[in-house]
Amino acid sequence: IEVELLGKGHSDLGEVAPEIKASERRTAVAIADLEWREMEGDDCEFRYGDGTNEAQDNDFPTVERSRLQEMLSLLGLETYQVQKLSLQDSLQISFDSMKNWAPQVPKDLPWNFLRKLQALNADARNTTMVLDVLPDARPVEKESQMEEEIIYWDPADDLAADIYSFSELPTPDTPVNPLDLLCALLISSDSFLQQEIVLKMALCQFALPLVLPDSENHYHTFLLWAMRGIVRTWWSQPQRGVGSFREDSVVLSRAPAFAFVRMDVSSNSKSQLLNAVLSPGHRQWDCFWHRDLNLGTNAREISDGLVEMSWFFPSGREDLDIFPEPVTFLNLRGDIGSHWLQFKLLTEISSAVFILTDNISKKEYKLLYSMKESTTKYYFILSPYRGKRNTNLRFLNKLIPVLKIDHSHVLVKVSSTDSDSFVKRIRAIIGNVLRAPCRRVSVEDMAHAARKLGLKVDEDCEECQKAKDRMERITRKIKDSDAYRRDELRLQGDPWRKAAQVEKEFCQLQWAVDPPEKHRAELRRRLLELRMQQNSHDPSSGVQEFISGISSPSLSEKQYFLRWMEWGLARVAQPRLRQPPETLLTLRPKHGGATDLGEPLWPEPLGVEHFLREMGQFYEAESCLVEAGRLPAGQRRFAHFPGLASELLLTGLPLELIDGSTLSMPIRWVTGLLKELHVRLERRSRLVVLSTLGVPGTGKSTLLNTMFGLRFATGKSCSPRGAFMQLITVAEGFSQDLGCDHILVIDSGGLIGGALTSAGDRFELEASLATLLMGLSNVTVISLAETKDIPAAILHAFLRLEKTGHMPNYQFVYQNLHDVSVPGPRPRDKRQLLDPPGDLSRAAAQMEKQSDGFRALAGLAFCDPEKQHIWHIPGLWHGAPPMAAVSLAYSEAIFELKRCLLENIRNGLSNQNKNIQQLIELVRRL
């Protein structure tokens, strides 16, 4: 194929060589040549070698169209253009979940990216592939999962080989640019997977996609919905007064925005410059991908026109804070002349635009002249020795009055320019803009500007808007959370607490040696009175609206509604914090050490679980009356509620297992839900139950979310108190090998306080809850803060379960909550559980009347002292929050723990797996 590229801006063959290579690879038909003809006021028109254009020959595909389709085909994503890739698809447990494998072919790249991003791995953007073995070559066995052999092919070994076939051999060079991979994956994903991808990228401190280009239809998408789930914390420092920590959604908070764009050709890299501006001190943060990262250096195929976004958030530390307030940074990939719509958007939302270029020609002058009405400040960063110096000066002199700039708005950077000094100058310019009155915009404001320019906004689809309207009809009535719970969620509070206490007494009475029948009858009478009182109420208007939302026949609308409810309730019900919150990005204890484990339970924020809890109480009350013969089964109104809840569990929503307000399990509701789950799963109902226990603030929920991509609430200030469960699907091809179809993960939340307090009832309750959760489990992960003692309630549960003969597989995880990294396991840590018993363990053993209680624990958990049941997880952070990324060491340690857990399940070390029917019976018995 003979290819000729003619046109302005391609005077050097080296500049167009990547495009020639890409054209040769993607062209499916013989094209004699390509002619690029400059059009008046626009870039160019594509013409075929015979002079025809697309309008004259619709059967002949354009290069832009084939480029996207070829990229999707290369990555194996073409099948997801109609039925989009879902979040549940990406979270399935498969063979690859147990391997630290490297991609070998381009079709591995999307799944490798998703797997690493789920684990918050800083190397997720790396698209480097390991060379695969050729079909005719003898395969080489791998010595380990961490080492791959690269096969080199000597042409002399096969003299008959076609010389052209060598261009098809796998090479270490990546065939896909990381930005192309990201765009192709986002185009192939549904809204909820897009949102998850963007959220995880934010946790990794990667630049986020804001405008997703569509090179096929030129119908670009503004990703507002994808940004909705991101909440950040920062130090707010007013000009006068004491500063405070703030927590807010990045979609709603307003900040000055600064855009960096390229005009024609620039020898300076925007992304490297942006990374340098955002990096404190001498620590380089590669927030924006650039060509020197060696993660995928091929030319971009489909990602030109992508607009990326990142932020700077102050931490309150003068040595780290580059700017005194949050600042938004925007980066347009590609030339502004080819992506005028995106550039127009950036000029309307930015306080200042930095334009990097080597040449200012007549065409670029006309483009910038059209911006004469803009109030945005413009700055030019030039490399005149590469371009045409005199021409640049002539056009700049013409632009000075048009754009209202002066010579201080023109910066020159050449190879001899000191980089540090230049970065300081850019920061100084941004600081001057911040001190003056300037435009401050939120992502919602940006979306409004995008709509005016004709860009598609992902949030504007009908299902999303219907779900949002329903959420607003509920939340607009919430003025005070406590009052709303009292008036609208009437079955909770005192009626449920009293009923839970009566049921607990009734249950304990069953184990008495000779229970008095009169007392039993009295408890039964009191319980029926309370349940009749609950059943006399009708669901409030807010609860009815919620039930309608989760009953929608559209799965997407149902999922949109639940997400909107989470954010809407958090917005209206949770007060703004005046101290550093423990959020998804924060695991630091409040006072520099472990949380005060004896403090009272914290107030619960109003959440989706309260509406589901209300539904559960309606079902509980009705079921109790039916069982007692006080209500005919044909008059039931709420029998369908467990089915609605089970559908939510299947879509990935965590559901409450132990009620956080009463610290009890609504047994009829939970068993009814599990029965409905069994019906929906049909023959795929084999379960492994994995639970986590530990005191609040030890990173239990973050560990589970990182390990399996789950959605458990994190942080003591925003987490509900109860224990929650979430379902993970095992891929059908792997379920036989693993021995189960699903993994039910239980997060104990803040149930375990961790100390023997003066309130004996509180300790007894915690020990009972720990026994319940561990008794349900095949695998239990016990999360501990550094080298603190095991909570006494958990020791108590160990000793109780030893009597039953049910002992799950235990893994003890020590999380370093302060340092970025810790050395390997220390000998004294490994012996800790085998040391002589301390006060807490002695007390727990005495309560169970076992003088050798601690010895029994050591025997149960560590039959073989050399086996690794103790894990040391490095610190979560790489750097200082809020600008810190998740450390690579943390991600890798979590992956190893996950691999070990799955290996134990596969090898049958996790006790006997169960089906849902057996789990229901176990719930009742425990």
Side-chain angles (χ1 to χ4, degrees):
I1 302 172
E2 181 181 5
V3 179
E4 181 181 6
L5 287 170
L6 301 174
K8 195 162 290 187
H10 291 302
S11 58
D12 188 324
L13 180 61
E15 296 175 16
V16 299
E19 298 182 38
I20 294 175
K21 180 181 177 183
S23 298
E24 289 176 340
R25 183 171 65 250
R26 66 176 174 257
T27 304
V29 295
I31 301 177
D33 63 354
L34 299 174
E35 293 181 7
W36 292 93
R37 305 183 185 275
E38 184 177 2
M39 295 175 63
E40 182 68 20
D42 205 344
D43 300 320
C44 55
E45 177 178 305
F46 174 75
R47 294 183 181 274
Y48 299 108
D50 59 1
T52 63
N53 60 22
E54 184 182 11
Q56 296 168 322
D57 188 357
N58 290 326
D59 295 331
F60 213 96
T62 64
V63 171
E64 286 81 5
R65 182 173 181 82
S66 66
R67 187 179 298 178
L68 176 61
Q69 294 302 321
E70 286 296 318
M71 179 58 66
L72 294 173
S73 177
L74 179 71
L75 296 172
L77 296 174
E78 70 275 13
T79 57
Y80 297 107
Q81 299 316 296
V82 178
Q83 184 68 34
K84 298 292 187 180
L85 188 64
S86 72
L87 177 58
Q88 295 303 102
D89 293 334
S90 70
L91 299 181
Q92 281 193 357
I93 302 292
S94 65
F95 286 102
D96 292 335
S97 303
M98 300 180 62
K99 297 188 300 182
N100 193 12
W101 57 279
Q104 295 181 336
V105 294
K107 291 184 179 181
D108 292 339
L109 293 175
W111 303 103
N112 181 65
F113 176 78
L114 288 173
R115 179 179 62 83
K116 287 191 172 181
L117 198 62
Q118 173 189 309
L120 304 179
N121 191 306
D123 287 338
R125 293 180 296 186
N126 191 340
T127 60
T128 305
M129 295 185 296
V130 174
L131 292 185
D132 202 356
V133 180
L134 293 173
D136 295 334
R138 183 174 57 86
V140 179
E141 293 185 1
K142 300 172 186 176
E143 292 183 3
S144 70
Q145 293 179 343
M146 302 297 293
E147 297 177 356
E148 306 281 354
E149 290 200 37
I150 298 179
I151 307 301
Y152 294 98
W153 193 268
D154 186 354
D157 292 342
D158 190 355
L159 298 177
D162 184 356
I163 189 171
Y164 293 105
S165 67
F166 292 107
S167 63
E168 302 299 324
L169 295 180
T171 68
D173 297 328
T174 61
V176 178
N177 185 289
L179 296 176
D180 288 341
L181 172 62
L182 174 63
C183 289
L185 193 52
L186 290 172
I187 289 172
S188 307
S189 304
D190 68 12
S191 298
F192 306 99
L193 181 53
Q194 286 181 350
Q195 196 173 82
E196 186 72 7
I197 289 172
V198 171
L199 173 61
K200 298 292 188 181
M201 290 179 67
L203 294 175
C204 293
Q205 293 292 355
F206 296 161
L208 308 182
L210 182 67
V211 176
L212 182 63
D214 183 347
S215 59
E216 180 173 318
N217 302 306
H218 301 284
Y219 197 42
H220 313 302
T221 303
F222 187 96
L223 298 178
L224 175 62
W225 170 262
M227 296 273 187
R228 279 282 177 194
I230 304 173
V231 176
R232 298 299 294 266
T233 61
W234 68 91
W235 181 264
S236 176
Q237 179 64 61
Q239 295 195 0
R240 294 182 181 180
V242 180
S244 62
F245 264 85
R246 285 195 57 195
E247 178 184 77
D248 205 353
S249 164
V250 297
V251 168
L252 301 175
S253 58
R254 286 187 166 89
F258 295 85
F260 285 69
V261 301
R262 172 172 61 83
M263 186 168 66
D264 194 18
V265 177
S266 173
S267 54
N268 294 310
S269 168
K270 302 189 312 298
S271 300
Q272 284 181 299
L273 179 59
L274 277 165
N275 290 340
V277 170
L278 283 167
S279 299
H282 297 289
R283 174 176 288 169
Q284 180 68 27
W285 288 346
D286 292 314
C287 179
F288 293 90
W289 177 86
H290 55 86
R291 55 182 173 245
D292 290 340
L293 284 179
N294 281 330
L295 303 180
T297 54
N298 276 28
R300 294 189 297 271
E301 295 275 352
I302 62 172
S303 55
D304 274 350
L306 173 70
V307 178
E308 295 173 291
M309 165 185 273
S310 188
W311 295 268
F312 172 82
F313 291 101
S315 64
R317 292 177 53 179
E318 293 184 2
D319 58 327
L320 294 178
D321 288 347
I322 302 167
F323 306 109
E325 61 176 296
V327 181
T328 303
F329 291 90
L330 302 163
N331 182 18
L332 171 61
R333 299 288 182 167
D335 170 39
I336 63 173
S338 303
H339 308 286
W340 182 248
L341 189 62
Q342 289 93 318
F343 178 61
K344 177 70 173 172
L345 173 65
L346 295 182
T347 61
E348 294 193 6
I349 63 178
S350 301
S351 299
V353 176
F354 291 82
I355 302 173
L356 286 75
T357 186
D358 293 345
N359 300 310
I360 304 178
S361 64
K362 183 178 180 180
K363 174 186 172 184
E364 281 73 39
Y365 169 76
K366 288 181 180 180
L367 293 176
L368 294 174
Y369 185 84
S370 66
M371 307 304 299
K372 60 184 178 181
E373 303 298 330
S374 172
T375 59
T376 302
K377 293 180 170 63
Y378 293 90
Y379 295 86
F380 291 86
I381 299 177
L382 305 176
S383 295
Y385 300 119
R386 179 183 176 88
K388 302 173 183 177
R389 180 171 183 172
N390 293 333
T391 305
N392 289 346
L393 291 175
R394 185 172 72 253
F395 283 118
L396 277 173
N397 286 327
K398 291 182 179 181
L399 287 172
I400 283 176
V402 174
L403 300 180
K404 303 176 184 63
I405 62 176
D406 55 37
H407 290 90
S408 66
H409 288 232
V410 180
L411 294 81
V412 177
K413 185 178 187 301
V414 294
S415 57
S416 59
T417 304
D418 180 65
S419 297
D420 291 341
S421 300
F422 190 80
V423 168
K424 289 179 181 178
R425 189 175 177 188
I426 298 292
R427 290 176 178 171
I429 292 173
I430 294 173
N432 291 334
V433 175
L434 294 177
R435 283 188 287 272
C438 65
R439 179 186 294 146
R440 284 171 166 78
V441 294
S442 66
V443 178
E444 280 194 341
D445 297 330
M446 297 178 187
H448 185 63
R451 289 187 187 98
K452 288 185 175 180
L453 291 173
L455 273 75
K456 172 186 173 183
V457 178
D458 60 350
E459 209 169 85
D460 290 348
C461 69
E462 181 181 0
E463 291 177 323
C464 182
Q465 290 305 307
K466 286 174 65 177
K468 181 182 180 182
D469 292 342
R470 192 183 296 277
M471 175 272 294
E472 290 176 341
R473 289 197 293 271
I474 296 174
T475 56
R476 72 167 60 105
K477 297 181 181 179
I478 305 175
K479 308 302 180 185
D480 177 80
S481 296
D482 293 335
Y484 186 84
R485 273 187 270 199
R486 183 178 60 252
D487 300 336
E488 297 292 316
L489 306 178
R490 295 185 288 266
L491 268 63
Q492 299 173 53
D494 284 341
W496 170 221
R497 275 192 288 271
K498 291 177 180 177
Q501 182 60 35
V502 171
E503 287 193 332
K504 180 180 178 182
E505 291 181 28
F506 191 82
C507 181
Q508 291 174 340
L509 204 61
Q510 295 177 5
W511 299 98
V513 177
D514 188 16
E517 186 58 35
K518 185 177 179 180
H519 185 44
R520 186 196 299 269
E522 174 63 18
L523 290 176
R524 188 181 294 111
R525 184 191 63 77
R526 285 167 52 192
L527 179 62
L528 286 175
E529 283 183 358
L530 290 167
R531 291 306 190 187
M532 289 178 70
Q533 178 185 342
Q534 286 182 310
N535 196 57
S536 65
H537 293 286
D538 291 322
S540 65
S541 59
V543 174
Q544 290 182 30
E545 194 74 61
F546 179 85
I547 294 170
S548 298
I550 65 173
S551 302
S552 170
S554 168
L555 177 60
S556 294
E557 185 177 333
K558 189 185 305 184
Q559 291 177 294
Y560 277 122
F561 172 69
L562 289 168
R563 295 291 174 93
W564 277 119
M565 281 295 294
E566 290 174 9
W567 303 325
L569 292 173
R571 194 75 185 163
V572 301
Q574 186 175 349
R576 298 298 94 194
L577 301 173
R578 295 298 180 186
Q579 57 185 352
E582 295 173 25
T583 65
L584 182 65
L585 293 175
T586 309
L587 290 179
R588 294 175 297 177
K590 288 190 176 182
H591 304 291
T595 307
D596 181 7
L597 304 177
E599 67 185 11
L601 294 175
W602 59 93
E604 276 190 300
L606 184 63
V608 170
E609 67 275 3
H610 289 89
F611 289 85
L612 288 167
R613 194 182 294 168
E614 188 79 356
M615 291 173 59
Q617 283 308 298
F618 275 110
Y619 181 82
E620 282 271 330
E622 188 178 75
S623 299
C624 182
L625 296 180
V626 170
E627 291 172 8
R630 298 294 185 91
L631 180 71
Q635 295 182 15
R636 299 196 67 162
R637 297 180 294 164
F638 312 119
H640 64 293
F641 281 5
L644 296 177
S646 67
E647 291 174 0
L648 301 185
L649 189 63
L650 288 170
T651 61
L653 182 74
L655 294 186
E656 199 171 45
L657 178 67
I658 295 178
D659 188 305
S661 63
T662 63
L663 299 183
S664 62
M665 178 185 287
I667 189 71
R668 297 175 186 86
W669 171 246
V670 171
T671 55
L673 188 157
L674 291 175
K675 286 179 182 177
E676 291 292 334
L677 184 64
H678 180 66
V679 171
R680 282 161 173 76
L681 292 179
E682 296 178 347
R683 290 174 295 181
R684 299 203 73 219
S685 62
R686 294 178 303 163
L687 279 180
V688 163
V689 180
L690 186 153
S691 64
T692 61
L693 290 171
V695 298
T698 55
K700 303 182 303 298
S701 304
T702 302
L703 182 146
L704 291 175
N705 293 346
T706 306
M707 195 182 304
F708 296 111
L710 304 179
R711 296 182 53 212
F712 292 119
T714 59
K716 186 172 178 179
S717 65
C718 61
S719 295
R721 288 197 300 260
F724 284 76
M725 57 183 174
Q726 191 170 347
L727 197 66
I728 308 173
T729 301
V730 178
E732 290 195 34
F734 186 51
S735 60
Q736 195 63 35
D737 191 26
L738 194 62
C740 63
D741 303 304
H742 294 83
I743 298 177
L744 187 69
V745 182
I746 301 175
D747 180 15
S748 65
L751 294 179
I752 309 301
L756 277 170
T757 64
S758 58
D761 290 343
R762 169 72 185 277
F763 171 76
E764 173 61 29
L765 178 60
E766 288 185 3
S768 298
L769 293 172
T771 306
L772 171 63
L773 294 181
M774 292 166 64
L776 292 175
S777 304
N778 301 96
V779 182
T780 297
V781 176
I782 298 174
S783 181
L784 304 168
E786 296 169 335
T787 58
K788 302 297 181 184
D789 287 337
I790 298 176
I794 295 178
L795 291 175
H796 203 59
F798 270 118
L799 303 178
R800 284 184 171 181
L801 287 174
E802 193 269 339
K803 298 178 182 178
T804 69
H806 173 85
M807 296 304 294
N809 177 266
Y810 297 106
Q811 303 294 326
F812 291 86
V813 175
Y814 287 100
Q815 298 211 49
N816 178 19
L817 305 180
H818 306 292
D819 301 329
V820 173
S821 60
V822 294
R826 289 157 287 184
R828 64 183 181 88
D829 296 333
K830 192 135 188 173
R831 292 194 309 266
Q832 182 181 357
L833 297 179
L834 301 179
D835 285 344
D839 294 338
L840 293 182
S841 55
R842 286 196 190 95
Q846 289 171 5
M847 292 182 70
E848 284 300 310
K849 300 180 177 60
Q850 292 189 23
S851 59
D852 60 344
F854 202 85
R855 180 200 58 75
L857 172 62
L860 293 170
F862 298 98
C863 297
D864 183 355
E866 296 305 315
K867 283 187 177 180
Q868 183 173 8
H869 293 265
I870 303 177
W871 297 82
H872 294 269
I873 306 297
L876 178 67
W877 301 119
H878 178 66
M883 292 300 293
V886 175
S887 76
L888 184 61
Y890 176 86
S891 174
E892 291 175 342
I894 294 297
F895 172 80
E896 282 303 312
L897 175 59
K898 174 183 178 180
R899 186 193 59 75
C900 176
L901 293 177
L902 293 177
E903 195 68 48
N904 287 346
I905 293 172
R906 185 166 70 170
N907 294 335
L909 300 180
S910 57
N911 212 311
Q912 185 177 2
N913 300 343
K914 53 185 75 72
N915 59 37
I916 295 180
Q917 292 280 31
Q918 292 170 325
L919 179 63
I920 292 171
E921 182 56 36
L922 189 58
V923 167
R924 287 193 179 120
R925 189 157 54 88
L926 283 169

